[in-house]
Amino acid sequence: NSEGLGGHTGGGAAVIEIPGQYAPTSSSVLDSRPFPELHVKLVKFHQTLELTSTSTKQHVHRITMIGNDGKTYRFLLQLAIPYWIRTDERSAQVQYVMEKALRKDIRARRRFLTSKPSVVIPIAQRMRMSANETSHQSLDSIFRHVQGPKVNKLASHFQEKVTSHLRDLGDIQEAKKDQAMKDAKLKIYQDICNKLVLPNIISKFMMETIPSAERLFQFRHVFTSQLAANSLLQYAFAVVERTPNRFVFCNSTGKILSQDFRSQYNHGLLEKHNVPFRMTRNITEFIGPFLLEGVFVPSFTIVSSAMHSKRSVLEPILHLLLRDDVMSWYISKSCAKNDQKIQEVERQLSDRVWSNIRFVQDRFEECSPRDVTDAAVEAVKSKPDPIDIKVRSLVDAATSAEKLSMMPSAYQAWL
């Protein structure tokens, strides 16, 4: 065997595949069995093991694999709690299902809408290996690149200003105190936006990376459509912790990556949030009003409609994914370890799982284009409601200065 031990096409390493080439981290238009003989094989590891630090000041190792296609594949070795590792796999499965739904929707195909999951491979109970290319950039890393390292102090600056303002208020009524807190946070948020943070850091960075105006416009178009699909998942699955270091995209393709894509639960139930998805001012400035109206909103409704059209098919899939997610979340916070206790917990959480399924399905439905029963009545209205009115209201909520100012300081809404 030329690929076996002592073979002449790479030795024993040639039978080892590069990770991330099977579903759900990889999808094919054929929807057929995988073809391992066509997969990229590992030739060797790069001789250098890099030590890098994330925005959370955690030191991680980055390994580089060289495939028999001549390309290099970089992976970060990260320690994580078991619940996070299992959630990464479920997030990839959700995006895999979305990709298959988009592939069968004619409107999505006309707009070339896709959803590609991030490659995250569990290699131990508390360790994962995530794909990390040099082209992957987070909003946090772009911010530090454009405005320097001092920007890390903005979150603490915001919190100190709020604490100082509360101290100055003294003893006042609770109702007045809440309103005073909102006013103070809004003022401090606006001061940071006006004085400390540029409104166009993504645009500056991408103009350095892609000097061609034509290529930059094409990148922005792809980025906007990818952002729409990602934002829908944030809204439907109540994913709110989209901090700047978790907002990651590829600066060569415009693909949005779903780093640490985890739902927010309240006693095992998905809940509504004031800010449906991350659409802060630097993102809206980079997209621009034309792409926001002409690409983001239509793409959002089309993806939602494609998912809603497969409601009956999605229900058992969502049941498996949300059941596993709620169970993992609950077990990570309890002492249920043996099978009998886990089965008892599953029976107790059954109603919550079904509530979460309805929650997700209803959000796909409400973001789909509104059905017009009588076009003649709509035409004579002085101000007819647009068919995508729900998505437009979500965009207004995501860009509202009042709501963004109430987000936790770690969210860094001024970006």
Side-chain angles (χ1 to χ4, degrees):
N1 186 353
S2 61
E3 288 191 346
L5 184 62
H8 53 76
T9 59
V15 297
I16 301 176
E17 298 180 7
I18 299 291
Q21 300 185 79
Y22 290 89
T25 54
S26 177
S27 61
S28 169
V29 294
L30 300 176
D31 278 337
S32 61
R33 68 172 183 84
F35 298 95
E37 60 272 15
L38 301 180
H39 288 177
V40 181
K41 306 298 193 301
L42 172 67
V43 174
K44 63 178 180 178
F45 286 92
H46 195 276
Q47 59 186 358
T48 303
L49 181 65
E50 301 176 63
L51 181 65
T52 183
S53 59
T54 62
S55 55
T56 56
K57 298 181 180 179
Q58 178 189 13
H59 293 287
V60 295
H61 290 92
R62 179 161 56 196
I63 61 174
T64 303
M65 302 180 187
I66 301 176
N68 61 357
D69 59 349
K71 297 181 181 179
T72 57
Y73 299 84
R74 296 176 177 85
F75 295 89
L76 291 178
L77 296 176
Q78 298 173 305
L79 293 175
I81 62 176
Y83 168 63
W84 287 8
I85 294 175
R86 290 191 291 268
T87 302
D88 291 331
E89 184 178 0
R90 282 187 289 274
S91 171
Q93 290 167 344
V94 168
Q95 294 194 64
Y96 177 76
V97 171
M98 174 179 278
E99 168 67 14
K100 295 186 72 172
L102 293 177
R103 200 184 301 153
K104 297 178 181 180
D105 187 86
I106 186 170
R107 291 171 299 175
R109 299 310 298 157
R110 285 172 177 170
R111 286 181 172 265
F112 303 102
L113 297 177
T114 60
S115 177
K116 301 296 184 183
S118 302
V119 177
V120 180
I121 310 297
I123 56 177
Q125 187 178 14
R126 293 181 176 272
M127 180 172 286
R128 62 184 179 184
M129 187 167 63
S130 56
N132 178 263
E133 299 297 332
T134 54
S135 58
H136 293 177
Q137 299 289 340
S138 68
L139 184 57
D140 181 73
S141 65
I142 293 174
F143 188 30
R144 286 186 276 113
H145 172 81
V146 174
Q147 292 202 225
K150 293 183 180 180
V151 297
N152 293 330
K153 299 179 181 179
L154 284 179
S156 58
H157 169 77
F158 179 82
Q159 198 61 42
E160 288 170 4
K161 287 286 186 180
V162 173
T163 305
S164 175
H165 186 81
L166 279 177
R167 195 182 305 115
D168 296 339
L169 287 177
D171 295 331
I172 59 174
Q173 296 180 359
E174 193 66 27
K176 293 183 178 180
K177 186 175 181 179
D178 291 342
Q179 186 58 44
M181 169 70 78
K182 292 180 180 179
D183 295 340
K185 285 189 173 183
L186 178 59
K187 183 179 183 302
I188 297 167
Y189 165 79
Q190 291 174 338
D191 287 343
I192 293 177
C193 290
N194 295 331
K195 300 176 182 178
L196 300 177
V197 179
L198 294 173
N200 58 345
I201 59 171
I202 300 180
S203 296
K204 281 179 172 289
F205 179 82
M206 291 311 303
M207 287 176 68
E208 294 177 7
T209 307
I210 306 177
S212 168
E214 185 178 354
R215 282 188 58 207
L216 182 59
F217 177 80
Q218 180 63 26
F219 176 89
R220 289 170 58 206
H221 191 284
V222 176
F223 176 89
T224 305
S225 61
Q226 286 278 303
L227 180 64
N230 190 271
S231 298
L232 173 63
L233 290 180
Q234 291 180 48
Y235 175 64
F237 289 90
V239 180
V240 293
E241 295 182 357
R242 305 317 294 160
T243 54
N245 61 298
R246 289 173 177 166
F247 186 88
V248 182
F249 63 92
C250 178
N251 64 18
S252 60
T253 63
K255 172 187 172 184
I256 304 289
L257 305 176
S258 301
Q259 301 286 93
D260 298 328
F261 207 77
R262 290 187 288 276
S263 299
Q264 188 79 13
Y265 290 104
N266 182 15
H267 300 291
L269 292 171
L270 296 174
E271 58 180 355
K272 297 181 179 179
H273 299 278
N274 292 329
V275 178
F277 45 81
R278 187 174 190 99
M279 182 62 78
T280 48
R281 64 193 192 119
N282 267 282
I283 300 173
T284 54
E285 190 279 334
F286 179 64
I287 292 174
F290 295 108
L291 290 179
L292 182 64
E293 292 284 337
V295 176
F296 182 87
V297 173
S299 298
F300 198 107
T301 57
I302 289 172
V303 175
S304 183
S305 178
M307 296 294 283
H308 177 59
S309 66
K310 303 294 182 183
R311 184 184 183 100
S312 58
V313 178
L314 280 176
E315 184 172 299
I317 300 174
L318 287 175
H319 186 273
L320 286 174
L321 295 175
L322 293 174
R323 175 262 176 200
D324 290 348
D325 203 41
V326 171
M327 287 295 297
S328 298
W329 169 83
Y330 192 87
I331 292 173
S332 68
K333 299 178 179 296
S334 68
C335 57
K337 300 301 180 184
N338 58 51
D339 292 343
Q340 185 177 357
K341 289 185 177 180
I342 291 176
Q343 291 174 1
E344 183 179 349
V345 168
E346 184 175 354
R347 286 192 294 270
Q348 294 173 355
L349 296 177
S350 176
D351 292 340
R352 302 183 191 184
V353 172
W354 282 109
S355 296
N356 291 339
I357 293 171
R358 289 191 294 271
F359 179 93
V360 174
Q361 296 276 45
D362 290 346
R363 291 204 157 185
F364 285 143
E365 181 179 6
E366 68 187 24
C367 293
S368 302
R370 181 174 60 88
D371 292 330
V372 178
T373 54
D374 193 339
V377 174
E378 290 283 333
V380 298
K381 287 184 178 179
S382 57
K383 291 184 178 180
D385 294 330
I387 59 174
D388 53 6
I389 186 172
K390 178 61 180 180
V391 178
R392 293 178 183 275
S393 67
L394 292 178
V395 173
D396 291 340
T399 55
S400 168
E402 290 79 8
K403 293 182 179 181
L404 287 173
S405 63
M406 295 303 294
M407 294 297 287
S409 57
Y411 190 81
Q412 298 196 50
W414 43 85
L415 291 184

